[in-house]
Amino acid sequence: MSKLGGKPFLISAVGLDMAGSHLLEHWRSTGRSSEGILQTQDITTAVVCCVLDPNGEVAAGVASFESIEKFLTAEWIQQFRYKISSAPVVMVDANLNDHALEASCRLAAGDNIPLWFEPVSVAKSKKIAPLVKYVTYVSPNEEELFAMADALSPGKLYGLSERYKREKNCPPESLIKMLIPAIILLLEKGVKIVVVTIGARGIFLCSKEGSILTRAVVEKPQPLGITSELHRLISSDFPLHKFHAARQIEGTSHFFALHLPGLPASVKKLTGAGDCLVGATLASICEGSNIIQAISVGIAAAKATVEADLNVPSTFDLIGVADDARLVYLAAKVVYDGPV
């Protein structure tokens, strides 16, 4: 977000070890406040070690996030209520412990701040069950989606995940039909928009009604410098009327889904792509973009990420990102609009 001109306020915890000091130094170098980052000698900084296969996919990984679960407490988060209450959008991820997640969600909901839930993993994605009524956006991959649906309604979708794995190479119009039962469970529980990532094939953007996808998420956008320039580039010739025919139909039995395709890329590694997708999407939301525009920017940023040596590129070529985002937006198509 910072490299696209965003101004995120981070609430986290790191240790007084080499990893923690390096991370904190890098964070401060972006000009962002470290007020929300707890650093004490008792904390061992969370780390993850990944082994990549020749295609850049994660073949194996070992992670240690006990410090986040132990030290990033509800009490620490509540100290920054004033920051949460003035945020355009709040993002939480499932590495937090249950009490910290609930506190974060309650604080955002109390001030009507849109909340983005990032599942992190199949196992941790299930933490959404007691929090789902607070969630505006959720961004699972297919496996996380099925895990969350099962956590919300155990056994209801028995066998669907295995069928999906067997048939997942079918066209997007057929793929979405297999995912609909799981997505609907989330929407019926209160989630407003489900963002399903499907790897190199792109994203499904789903809701109960199409018009919510074409409205700006933030009522009072925050001009963010670099992102303002990016927003100007994409707004200048994004055909805003493209999806204005999306219907707004009352009732719980309607379903609307867009497919936004992935972009061809010269892949060096795939780590960091999902994080950059979400970060760029959030930065665009804060600028006043609707979710379709924002996801298009997110996909473009993810492409730049997989083509870079680092998990997050040192810099982003704004014109390149805008051009790629435009390609995604223009190629997006409705794959479902009707009753379920």
Side-chain angles (χ1 to χ4, degrees), residues 47-94:
V47 294
V48 59
C49 179
C50 295
V51 178
L52 306 183
D53 69 15
N55 297 317
E57 293 271 11
V58 176
V62 179
S64 173
F65 284 92
E66 289 84 357
S67 58
I68 297 294
E69 295 173 356
K70 181 177 180 181
F71 291 98
L72 193 48
T73 63
E75 291 74 22
W76 177 255
I77 292 168
Q78 286 165 346
Q79 293 185 49
F80 305 101
R81 178 169 190 159
Y82 68 101
K83 287 289 187 180
I84 292 174
S85 66
S86 61
V89 62
V90 170
M91 193 278 281
V92 298
D93 76 35

mmCIF file of all heavy atoms in Angstrom, residues 47-94:
data_model
loop_
_atom_site.group_PDB
_atom_site.id
_atom_site.type_symbol
_atom_site.label_atom_id
_atom_site.label_comp_id
_atom_site.label_asym_id
_atom_site.label_seq_id
_atom_site.Cartn_x
_atom_site.Cartn_y
_atom_site.Cartn_z
ATOM 1 N N VAL A 47 7.920 -15.619 11.798
ATOM 2 C CA VAL A 47 8.663 -15.870 10.570
ATOM 3 C C VAL A 47 7.995 -16.995 9.781
ATOM 4 O O VAL A 47 7.255 -17.812 10.332
ATOM 5 C CB VAL A 47 10.142 -16.267 10.847
ATOM 6 C CG1 VAL A 47 10.902 -15.114 11.464
ATOM 7 C CG2 VAL A 47 10.208 -17.495 11.738
ATOM 8 N N VAL A 48 8.282 -17.011 8.484
ATOM 9 C CA VAL A 48 7.840 -18.115 7.636
ATOM 10 C C VAL A 48 8.972 -18.436 6.666
ATOM 11 O O VAL A 48 9.646 -17.538 6.161
ATOM 12 C CB VAL A 48 6.538 -17.765 6.875
ATOM 13 C CG1 VAL A 48 6.728 -16.547 5.991
ATOM 14 C CG2 VAL A 48 6.054 -18.947 6.046
ATOM 15 N N CYS A 49 9.207 -19.709 6.443
ATOM 16 C CA CYS A 49 10.237 -20.159 5.516
ATOM 17 C C CYS A 49 9.572 -21.024 4.452
ATOM 18 O O CYS A 49 8.887 -22.002 4.782
ATOM 19 C CB CYS A 49 11.312 -20.958 6.256
ATOM 20 S SG CYS A 49 12.626 -21.571 5.171
ATOM 21 N N CYS A 50 9.748 -20.649 3.186
ATOM 22 C CA CYS A 50 9.101 -21.359 2.088
ATOM 23 C C CYS A 50 10.130 -21.955 1.135
ATOM 24 O O CYS A 50 11.174 -21.357 0.885
ATOM 25 C CB CYS A 50 8.192 -20.411 1.301
ATOM 26 S SG CYS A 50 6.796 -19.774 2.243
ATOM 27 N N VAL A 51 9.807 -23.114 0.607
ATOM 28 C CA VAL A 51 10.582 -23.749 -0.459
ATOM 29 C C VAL A 51 9.750 -23.666 -1.733
ATOM 30 O O VAL A 51 8.590 -24.105 -1.745
ATOM 31 C CB VAL A 51 10.902 -25.220 -0.121
ATOM 32 C CG1 VAL A 51 11.660 -25.868 -1.280
ATOM 33 C CG2 VAL A 51 11.709 -25.317 1.163
ATOM 34 N N LEU A 52 10.341 -23.084 -2.784
ATOM 35 C CA LEU A 52 9.614 -22.904 -4.034
ATOM 36 C C LEU A 52 10.002 -23.982 -5.043
ATOM 37 O O LEU A 52 11.156 -24.413 -5.092
ATOM 38 C CB LEU A 52 9.915 -21.525 -4.637
ATOM 39 C CG LEU A 52 9.683 -20.306 -3.737
ATOM 40 C CD1 LEU A 52 9.968 -19.029 -4.513
ATOM 41 C CD2 LEU A 52 8.285 -20.290 -3.167
ATOM 42 N N ASP A 53 9.025 -24.399 -5.843
ATOM 43 C CA ASP A 53 9.325 -25.351 -6.908
ATOM 44 C C ASP A 53 9.807 -24.583 -8.141
ATOM 45 O O ASP A 53 9.847 -23.343 -8.136
ATOM 46 C CB ASP A 53 8.108 -26.236 -7.201
ATOM 47 C CG ASP A 53 6.948 -25.485 -7.838
ATOM 48 O OD1 ASP A 53 7.150 -24.344 -8.331
ATOM 49 O OD2 ASP A 53 5.825 -26.024 -7.857
ATOM 50 N N PRO A 54 10.203 -25.270 -9.217
ATOM 51 C CA PRO A 54 10.733 -24.572 -10.409
ATOM 52 C C PRO A 54 9.762 -23.589 -11.045
ATOM 53 O O PRO A 54 10.184 -22.694 -11.784
ATOM 54 C CB PRO A 54 11.055 -25.726 -11.372
ATOM 55 C CG PRO A 54 11.323 -26.896 -10.478
ATOM 56 C CD PRO A 54 10.357 -26.742 -9.337
ATOM 57 N N ASN A 55 8.470 -23.725 -10.767
ATOM 58 C CA ASN A 55 7.473 -22.812 -11.335
ATOM 59 C C ASN A 55 7.176 -21.616 -10.434
ATOM 60 O O ASN A 55 6.315 -20.792 -10.758
ATOM 61 C CB ASN A 55 6.171 -23.570 -11.610
ATOM 62 C CG ASN A 55 6.348 -24.672 -12.633
ATOM 63 O OD1 ASN A 55 7.015 -24.475 -13.650
ATOM 64 N ND2 ASN A 55 5.763 -25.837 -12.377
ATOM 65 N N GLY A 56 7.891 -21.522 -9.299
ATOM 66 C CA GLY A 56 7.663 -20.416 -8.381
ATOM 67 C C GLY A 56 6.563 -20.661 -7.380
ATOM 68 O O GLY A 56 6.244 -19.784 -6.574
ATOM 69 N N GLU A 57 5.949 -21.832 -7.413
ATOM 70 C CA GLU A 57 4.901 -22.192 -6.452
ATOM 71 C C GLU A 57 5.545 -22.622 -5.137
ATOM 72 O O GLU A 57 6.660 -23.150 -5.111
ATOM 73 C CB GLU A 57 4.055 -23.346 -6.990
ATOM 74 C CG GLU A 57 3.225 -23.009 -8.209
ATOM 75 C CD GLU A 57 1.858 -22.471 -7.860
ATOM 76 O OE1 GLU A 57 1.630 -22.170 -6.663
ATOM 77 O OE2 GLU A 57 1.026 -22.363 -8.773
ATOM 78 N N VAL A 58 4.840 -22.411 -4.036
ATOM 79 C CA VAL A 58 5.319 -22.867 -2.735
ATOM 80 C C VAL A 58 5.144 -24.384 -2.661
ATOM 81 O O VAL A 58 4.031 -24.899 -2.712
ATOM 82 C CB VAL A 58 4.555 -22.187 -1.585
ATOM 83 C CG1 VAL A 58 5.007 -22.763 -0.240
ATOM 84 C CG2 VAL A 58 4.781 -20.681 -1.616
ATOM 85 N N ALA A 59 6.274 -25.094 -2.558
ATOM 86 C CA ALA A 59 6.232 -26.551 -2.462
ATOM 87 C C ALA A 59 6.114 -27.001 -1.016
ATOM 88 O O ALA A 59 5.511 -28.023 -0.710
ATOM 89 C CB ALA A 59 7.485 -27.154 -3.094
ATOM 90 N N ALA A 60 6.697 -26.231 -0.101
ATOM 91 C CA ALA A 60 6.638 -26.559 1.325
ATOM 92 C C ALA A 60 6.928 -25.297 2.119
ATOM 93 O O ALA A 60 7.580 -24.372 1.624
ATOM 94 C CB ALA A 60 7.650 -27.652 1.677
ATOM 95 N N GLY A 61 6.438 -25.264 3.327
ATOM 96 C CA GLY A 61 6.677 -24.086 4.164
ATOM 97 C C GLY A 61 6.529 -24.391 5.634
ATOM 98 O O GLY A 61 5.795 -25.309 6.018
ATOM 99 N N VAL A 62 7.267 -23.656 6.438
ATOM 100 C CA VAL A 62 7.169 -23.753 7.892
ATOM 101 C C VAL A 62 6.973 -22.343 8.430
ATOM 102 O O VAL A 62 7.707 -21.424 8.064
ATOM 103 C CB VAL A 62 8.439 -24.375 8.510
ATOM 104 C CG1 VAL A 62 8.323 -24.432 10.024
ATOM 105 C CG2 VAL A 62 8.691 -25.771 7.943
ATOM 106 N N ALA A 63 5.970 -22.166 9.277
ATOM 107 C CA ALA A 63 5.658 -20.840 9.803
ATOM 108 C C ALA A 63 5.592 -20.867 11.325
ATOM 109 O O ALA A 63 5.213 -21.871 11.924
ATOM 110 C CB ALA A 63 4.335 -20.332 9.231
ATOM 111 N N SER A 64 5.974 -19.744 11.926
ATOM 112 C CA SER A 64 5.873 -19.589 13.379
ATOM 113 C C SER A 64 5.210 -18.247 13.668
ATOM 114 O O SER A 64 5.825 -17.192 13.489
ATOM 115 C CB SER A 64 7.262 -19.651 14.026
ATOM 116 O OG SER A 64 7.177 -19.342 15.408
ATOM 117 N N PHE A 65 3.932 -18.303 14.062
ATOM 118 C CA PHE A 65 3.172 -17.084 14.329
ATOM 119 C C PHE A 65 2.670 -17.023 15.770
ATOM 120 O O PHE A 65 1.762 -16.259 16.084
ATOM 121 C CB PHE A 65 1.978 -16.989 13.363
ATOM 122 C CG PHE A 65 2.359 -16.571 11.975
ATOM 123 C CD1 PHE A 65 2.651 -17.511 11.002
ATOM 124 C CD2 PHE A 65 2.442 -15.232 11.640
ATOM 125 C CE1 PHE A 65 3.008 -17.138 9.722
ATOM 126 C CE2 PHE A 65 2.799 -14.830 10.365
ATOM 127 C CZ PHE A 65 3.088 -15.798 9.398
ATOM 128 N N GLU A 66 3.274 -17.819 16.643
ATOM 129 C CA GLU A 66 2.821 -17.854 18.036
ATOM 130 C C GLU A 66 2.887 -16.478 18.695
ATOM 131 O O GLU A 66 2.043 -16.116 19.515
ATOM 132 C CB GLU A 66 3.643 -18.857 18.847
ATOM 133 C CG GLU A 66 3.377 -20.312 18.508
ATOM 134 C CD GLU A 66 4.183 -20.793 17.312
ATOM 135 O OE1 GLU A 66 4.912 -19.960 16.712
ATOM 136 O OE2 GLU A 66 4.089 -21.984 16.969
ATOM 137 N N SER A 67 3.887 -15.682 18.314
ATOM 138 C CA SER A 67 4.039 -14.361 18.943
ATOM 139 C C SER A 67 2.870 -13.445 18.597
ATOM 140 O O SER A 67 2.424 -12.651 19.432
ATOM 141 C CB SER A 67 5.359 -13.717 18.510
ATOM 142 O OG SER A 67 5.406 -13.586 17.100
ATOM 143 N N ILE A 68 2.367 -13.545 17.363
ATOM 144 C CA ILE A 68 1.210 -12.734 16.971
ATOM 145 C C ILE A 68 -0.012 -13.152 17.782
ATOM 146 O O ILE A 68 -0.753 -12.309 18.308
ATOM 147 C CB ILE A 68 0.928 -12.886 15.465
ATOM 148 C CG1 ILE A 68 2.109 -12.358 14.629
ATOM 149 C CG2 ILE A 68 -0.365 -12.176 15.084
ATOM 150 C CD1 ILE A 68 2.329 -10.868 14.744
ATOM 151 N N GLU A 69 -0.208 -14.450 17.908
ATOM 152 C CA GLU A 69 -1.364 -14.956 18.650
ATOM 153 C C GLU A 69 -1.286 -14.601 20.132
ATOM 154 O O GLU A 69 -2.308 -14.350 20.773
ATOM 155 C CB GLU A 69 -1.463 -16.467 18.459
ATOM 156 C CG GLU A 69 -1.742 -16.882 17.025
ATOM 157 C CD GLU A 69 -1.678 -18.399 16.826
ATOM 158 O OE1 GLU A 69 -1.334 -19.090 17.800
ATOM 159 O OE2 GLU A 69 -1.955 -18.863 15.709
ATOM 160 N N LYS A 70 -0.081 -14.562 20.675
ATOM 161 C CA LYS A 70 0.080 -14.328 22.112
ATOM 162 C C LYS A 70 0.127 -12.853 22.474
ATOM 163 O O LYS A 70 -0.483 -12.428 23.468
ATOM 164 C CB LYS A 70 1.348 -15.028 22.598
ATOM 165 C CG LYS A 70 1.603 -14.878 24.099
ATOM 166 C CD LYS A 70 2.843 -15.650 24.523
ATOM 167 C CE LYS A 70 3.107 -15.495 26.018
ATOM 168 N NZ LYS A 70 4.339 -16.231 26.451
ATOM 169 N N PHE A 71 0.848 -12.054 21.688
ATOM 170 C CA PHE A 71 1.119 -10.682 22.105
ATOM 171 C C PHE A 71 0.256 -9.630 21.402
ATOM 172 O O PHE A 71 0.120 -8.516 21.914
ATOM 173 C CB PHE A 71 2.601 -10.346 21.876
ATOM 174 C CG PHE A 71 3.529 -11.088 22.794
ATOM 175 C CD1 PHE A 71 4.173 -12.241 22.368
ATOM 176 C CD2 PHE A 71 3.736 -10.655 24.094
ATOM 177 C CE1 PHE A 71 5.028 -12.937 23.207
ATOM 178 C CE2 PHE A 71 4.582 -11.345 24.948
ATOM 179 C CZ PHE A 71 5.233 -12.494 24.508
ATOM 180 N N LEU A 72 -0.303 -9.956 20.254
ATOM 181 C CA LEU A 72 -1.175 -8.995 19.584
ATOM 182 C C LEU A 72 -2.583 -9.184 20.134
ATOM 183 O O LEU A 72 -3.445 -9.829 19.534
ATOM 184 C CB LEU A 72 -1.134 -9.203 18.069
ATOM 185 C CG LEU A 72 -1.740 -8.094 17.202
ATOM 186 C CD1 LEU A 72 -1.250 -6.725 17.616
ATOM 187 C CD2 LEU A 72 -1.427 -8.350 15.737
ATOM 188 N N THR A 73 -2.816 -8.617 21.289
ATOM 189 C CA THR A 73 -4.028 -8.882 22.067
ATOM 190 C C THR A 73 -5.141 -7.888 21.756
ATOM 191 O O THR A 73 -4.917 -6.824 21.153
ATOM 192 C CB THR A 73 -3.706 -8.783 23.567
ATOM 193 O OG1 THR A 73 -3.287 -7.430 23.853
ATOM 194 C CG2 THR A 73 -2.607 -9.765 23.957
ATOM 195 N N ALA A 74 -6.328 -8.241 22.204
ATOM 196 C CA ALA A 74 -7.469 -7.336 22.068
ATOM 197 C C ALA A 74 -7.197 -6.018 22.781
ATOM 198 O O ALA A 74 -7.557 -4.938 22.296
ATOM 199 C CB ALA A 74 -8.724 -8.003 22.630
ATOM 200 N N GLU A 75 -6.533 -6.095 23.942
ATOM 201 C CA GLU A 75 -6.236 -4.885 24.722
ATOM 202 C C GLU A 75 -5.300 -3.953 23.957
ATOM 203 O O GLU A 75 -5.471 -2.724 23.963
ATOM 204 C CB GLU A 75 -5.606 -5.270 26.071
ATOM 205 C CG GLU A 75 -6.557 -5.972 27.041
ATOM 206 C CD GLU A 75 -6.845 -7.416 26.648
ATOM 207 O OE1 GLU A 75 -6.025 -8.011 25.898
ATOM 208 O OE2 GLU A 75 -7.899 -7.942 27.067
ATOM 209 N N TRP A 76 -4.299 -4.529 23.297
ATOM 210 C CA TRP A 76 -3.374 -3.697 22.517
ATOM 211 C C TRP A 76 -4.110 -3.040 21.350
ATOM 212 O O TRP A 76 -3.958 -1.846 21.092
ATOM 213 C CB TRP A 76 -2.208 -4.542 22.001
ATOM 214 C CG TRP A 76 -1.247 -3.792 21.133
ATOM 215 C CD1 TRP A 76 -1.116 -3.872 19.776
ATOM 216 C CD2 TRP A 76 -0.292 -2.799 21.558
ATOM 217 N NE1 TRP A 76 -0.144 -3.025 19.323
ATOM 218 C CE2 TRP A 76 0.383 -2.349 20.400
ATOM 219 C CE3 TRP A 76 0.052 -2.251 22.794
ATOM 220 C CZ2 TRP A 76 1.389 -1.376 20.447
ATOM 221 C CZ3 TRP A 76 1.057 -1.294 22.839
ATOM 222 C CH2 TRP A 76 1.709 -0.865 21.686
ATOM 223 N N ILE A 77 -4.946 -3.801 20.666
ATOM 224 C CA ILE A 77 -5.682 -3.273 19.516
ATOM 225 C C ILE A 77 -6.645 -2.167 19.933
ATOM 226 O O ILE A 77 -6.785 -1.134 19.253
ATOM 227 C CB ILE A 77 -6.429 -4.422 18.804
ATOM 228 C CG1 ILE A 77 -5.417 -5.365 18.148
ATOM 229 C CG2 ILE A 77 -7.425 -3.887 17.769
ATOM 230 C CD1 ILE A 77 -6.000 -6.674 17.665
ATOM 231 N N GLN A 78 -7.306 -2.340 21.074
ATOM 232 C CA GLN A 78 -8.294 -1.358 21.532
ATOM 233 C C GLN A 78 -7.670 -0.005 21.857
ATOM 234 O O GLN A 78 -8.366 1.013 21.872
ATOM 235 C CB GLN A 78 -9.052 -1.913 22.735
ATOM 236 C CG GLN A 78 -10.061 -2.988 22.340
ATOM 237 C CD GLN A 78 -10.555 -3.808 23.510
ATOM 238 O OE1 GLN A 78 -9.979 -3.768 24.600
ATOM 239 N NE2 GLN A 78 -11.621 -4.577 23.284
ATOM 240 N N GLN A 79 -6.368 0.022 22.089
ATOM 241 C CA GLN A 79 -5.693 1.297 22.330
ATOM 242 C C GLN A 79 -5.739 2.205 21.098
ATOM 243 O O GLN A 79 -5.553 3.420 21.220
ATOM 244 C CB GLN A 79 -4.231 1.064 22.709
ATOM 245 C CG GLN A 79 -4.022 0.386 24.045
ATOM 246 C CD GLN A 79 -2.554 0.292 24.395
ATOM 247 O OE1 GLN A 79 -1.816 1.282 24.308
ATOM 248 N NE2 GLN A 79 -2.105 -0.896 24.789
ATOM 249 N N PHE A 80 -5.984 1.615 19.936
ATOM 250 C CA PHE A 80 -5.944 2.377 18.689
ATOM 251 C C PHE A 80 -7.333 2.498 18.064
ATOM 252 O O PHE A 80 -7.475 2.606 16.849
ATOM 253 C CB PHE A 80 -4.946 1.735 17.725
ATOM 254 C CG PHE A 80 -3.585 1.589 18.335
ATOM 255 C CD1 PHE A 80 -3.159 0.360 18.837
ATOM 256 C CD2 PHE A 80 -2.753 2.684 18.486
ATOM 257 C CE1 PHE A 80 -1.928 0.222 19.443
ATOM 258 C CE2 PHE A 80 -1.511 2.557 19.086
ATOM 259 C CZ PHE A 80 -1.095 1.328 19.574
ATOM 260 N N ARG A 81 -8.316 2.534 18.947
ATOM 261 C CA ARG A 81 -9.701 2.667 18.470
ATOM 262 C C ARG A 81 -9.877 3.937 17.639
ATOM 263 O O ARG A 81 -10.600 3.938 16.643
ATOM 264 C CB ARG A 81 -10.650 2.688 19.662
ATOM 265 C CG ARG A 81 -12.093 2.883 19.236
ATOM 266 C CD ARG A 81 -13.069 2.658 20.350
ATOM 267 N NE ARG A 81 -14.433 2.631 19.839
ATOM 268 C CZ ARG A 81 -15.452 2.074 20.452
ATOM 269 N NH1 ARG A 81 -15.274 1.495 21.629
ATOM 270 N NH2 ARG A 81 -16.652 2.080 19.921
ATOM 271 N N TYR A 82 -9.201 4.999 18.024
ATOM 272 C CA TYR A 82 -9.348 6.260 17.300
ATOM 273 C C TYR A 82 -8.851 6.138 15.865
ATOM 274 O O TYR A 82 -9.363 6.789 14.952
ATOM 275 C CB TYR A 82 -8.605 7.381 18.036
ATOM 276 C CG TYR A 82 -7.103 7.243 18.028
ATOM 277 C CD1 TYR A 82 -6.313 7.977 17.149
ATOM 278 C CD2 TYR A 82 -6.458 6.378 18.911
ATOM 279 C CE1 TYR A 82 -4.934 7.850 17.144
ATOM 280 C CE2 TYR A 82 -5.079 6.243 18.913
ATOM 281 C CZ TYR A 82 -4.326 6.975 18.021
ATOM 282 O OH TYR A 82 -2.960 6.842 18.027
ATOM 283 N N LYS A 83 -7.839 5.300 15.645
ATOM 284 C CA LYS A 83 -7.341 5.072 14.290
ATOM 285 C C LYS A 83 -8.326 4.232 13.486
ATOM 286 O O LYS A 83 -8.592 4.505 12.310
ATOM 287 C CB LYS A 83 -5.984 4.371 14.339
ATOM 288 C CG LYS A 83 -4.831 5.253 14.788
ATOM 289 C CD LYS A 83 -4.490 6.260 13.706
ATOM 290 C CE LYS A 83 -3.236 7.035 14.038
ATOM 291 N NZ LYS A 83 -2.888 8.032 12.977
ATOM 292 N N ILE A 84 -8.867 3.206 14.114
ATOM 293 C CA ILE A 84 -9.827 2.336 13.436
ATOM 294 C C ILE A 84 -11.089 3.105 13.073
ATOM 295 O O ILE A 84 -11.635 2.965 11.980
ATOM 296 C CB ILE A 84 -10.143 1.113 14.319
ATOM 297 C CG1 ILE A 84 -8.901 0.211 14.441
ATOM 298 C CG2 ILE A 84 -11.324 0.313 13.760
ATOM 299 C CD1 ILE A 84 -9.059 -0.937 15.411
ATOM 300 N N SER A 85 -11.557 3.954 13.978
ATOM 301 C CA SER A 85 -12.814 4.667 13.754
ATOM 302 C C SER A 85 -12.723 5.687 12.628
ATOM 303 O O SER A 85 -13.744 6.087 12.063
ATOM 304 C CB SER A 85 -13.256 5.375 15.045
ATOM 305 O OG SER A 85 -12.346 6.406 15.385
ATOM 306 N N SER A 86 -11.502 6.108 12.285
ATOM 307 C CA SER A 86 -11.342 7.098 11.214
ATOM 308 C C SER A 86 -10.802 6.477 9.928
ATOM 309 O O SER A 86 -10.526 7.189 8.961
ATOM 310 C CB SER A 86 -10.390 8.216 11.678
ATOM 311 O OG SER A 86 -9.103 7.686 11.992
ATOM 312 N N ALA A 87 -10.655 5.164 9.890
ATOM 313 C CA ALA A 87 -10.097 4.495 8.710
ATOM 314 C C ALA A 87 -11.143 4.369 7.607
ATOM 315 O O ALA A 87 -12.322 4.152 7.889
ATOM 316 C CB ALA A 87 -9.583 3.112 9.091
ATOM 317 N N PRO A 88 -10.736 4.484 6.342
ATOM 318 C CA PRO A 88 -11.671 4.231 5.241
ATOM 319 C C PRO A 88 -12.098 2.768 5.198
ATOM 320 O O PRO A 88 -13.223 2.451 4.835
ATOM 321 C CB PRO A 88 -10.863 4.610 3.988
ATOM 322 C CG PRO A 88 -9.706 5.403 4.476
ATOM 323 C CD PRO A 88 -9.414 4.919 5.854
ATOM 324 N N VAL A 89 -11.176 1.863 5.539
ATOM 325 C CA VAL A 89 -11.444 0.433 5.544
ATOM 326 C C VAL A 89 -10.451 -0.225 6.505
ATOM 327 O O VAL A 89 -9.337 0.264 6.689
ATOM 328 C CB VAL A 89 -11.312 -0.162 4.110
ATOM 329 C CG1 VAL A 89 -9.914 0.010 3.568
ATOM 330 C CG2 VAL A 89 -11.738 -1.623 4.067
ATOM 331 N N VAL A 90 -10.883 -1.302 7.148
ATOM 332 C CA VAL A 90 -10.019 -2.045 8.082
ATOM 333 C C VAL A 90 -9.810 -3.446 7.525
ATOM 334 O O VAL A 90 -10.764 -4.103 7.098
ATOM 335 C CB VAL A 90 -10.658 -2.130 9.487
ATOM 336 C CG1 VAL A 90 -9.885 -3.098 10.385
ATOM 337 C CG2 VAL A 90 -10.705 -0.744 10.121
ATOM 338 N N MET A 91 -8.539 -3.890 7.513
ATOM 339 C CA MET A 91 -8.226 -5.250 7.088
ATOM 340 C C MET A 91 -7.683 -6.027 8.278
ATOM 341 O O MET A 91 -6.797 -5.563 8.977
ATOM 342 C CB MET A 91 -7.197 -5.244 5.962
ATOM 343 C CG MET A 91 -7.049 -6.598 5.250
ATOM 344 S SD MET A 91 -5.968 -7.772 6.095
ATOM 345 C CE MET A 91 -4.359 -7.158 5.627
ATOM 346 N N VAL A 92 -8.252 -7.210 8.526
ATOM 347 C CA VAL A 92 -7.738 -8.108 9.562
ATOM 348 C C VAL A 92 -7.393 -9.438 8.905
ATOM 349 O O VAL A 92 -8.026 -9.834 7.920
ATOM 350 C CB VAL A 92 -8.759 -8.355 10.708
ATOM 351 C CG1 VAL A 92 -9.093 -7.065 11.427
ATOM 352 C CG2 VAL A 92 -10.028 -9.020 10.184
ATOM 353 N N ASP A 93 -6.360 -10.111 9.437
ATOM 354 C CA ASP A 93 -6.092 -11.446 8.916
ATOM 355 C C ASP A 93 -6.201 -12.470 10.033
ATOM 356 O O ASP A 93 -6.172 -12.140 11.218
ATOM 357 C CB ASP A 93 -4.768 -11.520 8.153
ATOM 358 C CG ASP A 93 -3.522 -11.549 9.020
ATOM 359 O OD1 ASP A 93 -3.559 -12.139 10.123
ATOM 360 O OD2 ASP A 93 -2.490 -11.011 8.587
ATOM 361 N N ALA A 94 -6.346 -13.710 9.627
ATOM 362 C CA ALA A 94 -6.691 -14.771 10.564
ATOM 363 C C ALA A 94 -5.511 -15.269 11.390
ATOM 364 O O ALA A 94 -5.642 -16.261 12.111
ATOM 365 C CB ALA A 94 -7.329 -15.934 9.808
#
